[in-house]
Amino acid sequence: MTRSRRIVGSGAATIATIADEVGVSLTTVSKVLNGRSDVAPETRARVEASLERNRYRRRVKRQPAAVSQIDLVFHEVDSGWATEIIHGVDAVAEAAKVDVVLSQLGGSHRPPQRWLDGVLLRQPLGVLLVLCNLTEPQSQQLQRRSIPFVVIDTDSATSASVPTVGSNNYNGGLLATRHLLELGHRRIACISGPDDMLCSRARTAGFRSAHDEAGIPVEPDLVRYGMFAAHAGHQHGMELLSRPDRPTAIFAGSDMQALGVLRAARQLGLSVPTDLSVIGYDNLPVAAWVGPALTTINQPLRDMAGTAAQMLLDLARGATLPTSRIDLVTELVVRESTAPPPG
């Protein structure tokens, strides 16, 4: 077996020094750098370890703009929410004459290695990750190839060094709940997203803070977590509204969840907003067209996506970002689905 040996020197690491340290050919190191699959796993691991140890960074000459592209990766593409993100990215990419490669992870928040291998082969200008993030080894692999990445609406707390664009989810939950409390509601339920996602927890924290401000306790059983989908809103809505002590208002963590709640209310013979107030989150186009028109929290999805895309293109050009974290403002949009409680 060929043993790895550290090459001590004052210059920056090159493919030649990596090959010499590991005891492999230049071609093998090049294959690892380009994500080729025809390298033995043990050899790949040794080369990757040497690349990291020597802080190797590829000196990349980007392709002409006519063939440049960025990768847009969703944890899942299943609603109008994703469509808004795509529109925001596409507007910036089209203006920069950059193509967009779209992929989705089937609900997972961490991409598999085969996805990363494809990215390394394509050598895009950069990667946009939506509600998902990379493992540390995956981040290092992209950094070594000088492929920047930006996270949109992260699923969890990110390192300060990871460029991230989101919105003020805490403030959104606070504004939604304040609105319902100011209308006179005292039994308010909250249906948030998955409890392992940062945005879900932040919106719920805002919900709780609004109650604390008003000196009104939150009943634990009225706080639910589920997918940001209509079927989850419907399921939780049926359970909450079938109780003898049902809530008089429901704050849903997404407009899609709110649509599920509206359906549950109709099936149980409840009128919105006479018997029940419902408020959503996102301000998707459909929110203005359902009956009754949905009161919601405007999350500037297109602006978030466009800001992230521009940050990525700036990084690809070698620019230094003035800040690594941007949270855009959330706002209350009052329509027809909220009113004072009955009686």
Side-chain angles (χ1 to χ4, degrees):
M1 177 187 295
T2 302
R3 292 187 176 181
S4 299
R5 57 190 189 282
R6 181 68 179 270
I7 302 298
V8 180
S10 59
T14 66
I15 290 180
T17 58
I18 298 299
D20 196 18
E21 177 181 319
V22 180
V24 297
S25 68
L26 294 174
T27 301
T28 298
V29 177
S30 180
K31 286 181 178 180
V32 172
L33 283 169
N34 289 303
R36 293 274 295 276
S37 60
D38 53 339
V39 178
E42 181 185 352
T43 302
R44 179 186 297 276
R46 289 165 51 222
V47 171
E48 289 284 1
S50 178
L51 291 167
E52 177 59 24
R53 189 163 52 247
N54 289 282
R55 298 182 180 179
Y56 176 85
R57 295 293 182 269
R58 168 176 278 178
R59 295 163 182 80
V60 177
K61 288 187 177 180
R62 294 297 182 188
Q63 298 175 341
V67 293
S68 294
Q69 63 185 31
I70 57 176
D71 272 53
L72 175 60
V73 188
F74 283 87
H75 82 298
E76 196 166 28
V77 180
D78 64 347
S79 70
W81 186 95
T83 302
E84 291 298 294
I85 295 289
I86 292 170
H87 282 313
V89 171
D90 187 61
V92 172
E94 184 177 8
K97 295 182 172 57
V98 171
D99 294 332
V100 179
V101 176
L102 176 65
S103 58
Q104 64 101 21
L105 306 178
S108 173
H109 295 288
R110 298 294 177 270
Q113 185 62 36
R114 65 179 181 277
W115 167 84
L116 184 60
D117 291 342
V119 172
L120 297 179
L121 282 172
R122 288 193 296 274
Q123 288 288 309
L125 290 173
V127 176
L128 286 171
L129 298 143
V130 186
L131 273 178
C132 56
N133 209 338
L134 304 174
T135 64
E136 185 58 30
Q138 289 174 333
S139 299
Q140 293 170 359
Q141 284 183 278
L142 287 186
Q143 289 166 359
R144 282 195 289 271
R145 277 72 168 186
S146 296
I147 301 175
F149 62 94
V150 176
V151 178
I152 302 174
D153 209 6
T154 177
D155 68 303
S156 59
T158 59
S159 165
S161 63
V162 177
T164 306
V165 179
S167 66
N168 194 328
N169 289 288
Y170 170 85
N171 188 60
L174 186 70
L175 291 175
T177 312
R178 279 177 177 170
H179 172 64
L180 295 172
L181 289 168
E182 289 167 358
L183 287 172
H185 293 277
R186 294 298 178 265
R187 285 186 57 76
I188 305 171
C190 173
I191 304 174
S192 195
D195 60 3
D196 61 347
M197 291 174 60
L198 184 64
C199 60
S200 302
R201 298 196 300 272
R203 292 171 197 177
T204 304
F207 170 82
R208 294 183 185 279
S209 291
H211 280 80
D212 289 343
E213 286 179 352
I216 298 170
V218 174
E219 186 175 330
D221 198 37
L222 294 183
V223 179
R224 307 293 180 91
Y225 294 91
M227 300 299 292
F228 282 126
H231 67 80
H234 179 260
Q235 176 186 337
H236 286 301
M238 290 295 291
E239 293 173 0
L240 289 165
L241 298 176
S242 296
R243 298 166 53 124
D245 58 346
R246 63 176 176 81
T248 62
I250 294 179
F251 164 42
S254 74
D255 288 344
M256 299 309 296
Q257 284 181 333
L259 295 183
V261 172
L262 291 177
R263 180 175 181 182
R266 287 195 301 270
Q267 289 177 321
L268 294 172
L270 299 174
S271 174
V272 177
T274 304
D275 302 316
L276 173 73
S277 285
V278 178
I279 183 168
Y281 202 105
D282 290 329
N283 196 26
L284 299 179
V286 69
W289 292 97
V290 296
L294 187 65
T295 295
T296 187
I297 297 297
N298 181 57
Q299 181 177 209
L301 296 172
R302 294 197 186 199
D303 289 343
M304 287 163 53
T307 299
Q310 189 59 59
M311 288 171 69
L312 187 68
L313 293 177
D314 290 345
L315 287 170
R317 288 194 289 265
T320 300
L321 299 178
T323 180
S324 63
R325 174 80 200 191
I326 296 177
D327 280 322
L328 301 186
V329 174
T330 49
E331 298 175 310
L332 175 67
V333 179
V334 179
R335 295 194 177 103
E336 301 168 356
S337 65
T338 51

